[in-house]
Amino acid sequence: MSSPVTSRRPSGRHLLLAPLTLCFALPLVWLVLSSVMSDAEINRFPPALWPKGIDLGGYRYVLGNAMFPRWFANSLVVALTAVLSNLLLGALGGYAFARMRFAGSRVLLALMLATMVIPFQLTMIPTFLVMKELGLIDTLGALIVPSLVTPFAVFLFRQFFLGLPREMEEAAWIDGCSRLRVLFSIVMPLARPALATVAVLTFLSTWNDLSWPLIAINHDTQYTLQLGLTTFQGQHHTRWSAVMAGNVITVLPVLVAFLLAQKTFVQSLTSSGLKG
């Protein structure tokens, strides 16, 4: 006999969160609607709340710009490289802090975590000088190298690994597996929530970064999408449909990445507590 289907009634919390969700969604909805309006509709006062028809002139103008696809590709290369390196190096560092005890490990962990509270304004000049000495200024390397691994990625992986039982790892060690094989064959498949969280947050911060590319990049062929869009917006401020279309294209990859990893992202935040 099948069990009865239980329906969840909306609680007072839902009644509070629904209007808040609508408030947060309104700017995105307005952005999408404005991107399919004509410039006359956008500039009209009072502003139009709904387009009379779908006008894709803004998208055609943006995608027809010779540099826009190049900026999109640059941002994609920088963001994906940062994601992959943070997943690999962050997992290695987090596993070392979670499972290995060596001289000065606690001090090193404390120093690493202390760097998370240092504002970017204090480190941008030393970082610029280091990138200049390496000959990476005005190249994508200047955007990739500082983002290869972040303290947050190492810390999140450490916290997640601390919550995993040691028994499976110890059994693998008895069978002769090395630490690296244990990490990649046993621990990493169990760390999918942490992997998804680090991937989404790294992609989000790297994709949306404007301040560091503004300092490290001079030539427009090396612009990221955020930096190029700022310049594009300044040059074409009267074509608001094109500006809105460019912003929609910029937001879309981040939104898709978060929606794809939403479940594992929430699971990681609820399961990786502050142990240790």
Side-chain angles (χ1 to χ4, degrees):
M1 185 175 181
S2 60
S3 59
V5 178
T6 58
S7 60
R8 297 182 60 183
R9 296 180 179 179
S11 62
R13 184 181 304 175
H14 293 101
L15 296 178
L16 175 63
L17 293 178
L20 290 177
T21 303
L22 183 61
C23 291
F24 283 112
L26 278 177
L28 181 60
V29 173
W30 172 252
L31 177 65
V32 175
L33 291 178
S34 299
S35 67
V36 294
M37 290 182 183
S38 64
D39 291 323
E41 289 181 285
I42 297 176
N43 294 325
R44 191 179 68 183
F45 186 83
L49 299 179
W50 194 265
K52 294 182 179 179
I54 297 179
D55 187 347
L56 299 179
Y59 288 95
R60 286 193 293 268
Y61 190 87
V62 168
L63 296 177
N65 186 293
M67 297 304 299
F68 198 87
R70 177 68 178 268
W71 298 338
F72 190 93
N74 289 343
S75 290
L76 202 60
V77 169
V78 173
L80 291 181
T81 304
V83 168
L84 294 176
S85 63
N86 272 273
L87 292 179
L88 176 61
L89 300 179
L92 291 173
Y95 187 74
F97 281 118
R99 292 291 190 257
M100 301 172 63
R101 291 293 178 263
F102 51 90
S105 60
R106 292 186 177 274
V107 176
L108 185 60
L109 178 62
L111 291 176
M112 183 196 69
L113 295 179
T115 62
M116 297 176 63
V117 301
I118 299 177
F120 170 74
Q121 289 78 4
L122 295 181
T123 61
M124 62 180 180
I125 295 179
T127 304
F128 180 85
L129 295 177
V130 171
M131 294 300 105
K132 183 178 180 181
E133 289 297 324
L134 294 176
L136 297 178
I137 293 298
D138 204 19
T139 67
L140 295 183
L143 308 180
I144 293 174
V145 172
S147 303
L148 286 178
V149 63
T150 60
F152 175 79
V154 176
F155 176 70
L156 185 65
F157 276 118
R158 173 186 179 271
Q159 297 306 112
F160 192 88
F161 293 154
L162 286 175
L164 297 178
R166 295 174 176 263
E167 286 75 11
M168 292 183 296
E169 300 173 52
E170 293 173 351
W173 293 335
I174 294 174
D175 291 339
C177 293
S178 63
R179 285 191 179 272
L180 284 178
R181 186 174 180 182
V182 170
L183 173 62
F184 290 109
S185 300
I186 299 176
V187 178
M188 292 296 281
L190 299 175
R192 291 177 182 174
L195 292 170
T197 302
V198 171
V200 170
L201 293 181
T202 301
F203 186 86
L204 178 65
S205 61
T206 309
W207 182 270
N208 289 333
D209 188 18
L210 173 63
S211 54
W212 176 239
L214 189 62
I215 297 171
I217 302 299
N218 300 319
H219 200 273
D220 58 355
T221 58
Q222 304 298 321
Y223 281 0
T224 60
L225 191 56
Q226 296 293 339
L227 184 56
L229 187 61
T230 302
T231 305
F232 176 82
Q233 184 172 345
Q235 293 175 346
H236 308 277
H237 60 279
T238 56
R239 297 191 64 111
W240 286 110
S241 59
V243 173
M244 297 299 180
N247 279 282
V248 170
I249 296 174
T250 303
V251 171
L252 191 59
V254 177
L255 187 61
V256 171
F258 180 78
L259 292 177
L260 291 177
Q262 182 179 9
K263 290 184 179 180
T264 50
F265 178 80
V266 175
Q267 181 182 352
S268 176
L269 293 182
T270 56
S271 63
S272 63
L274 299 177
K275 302 179 183 66

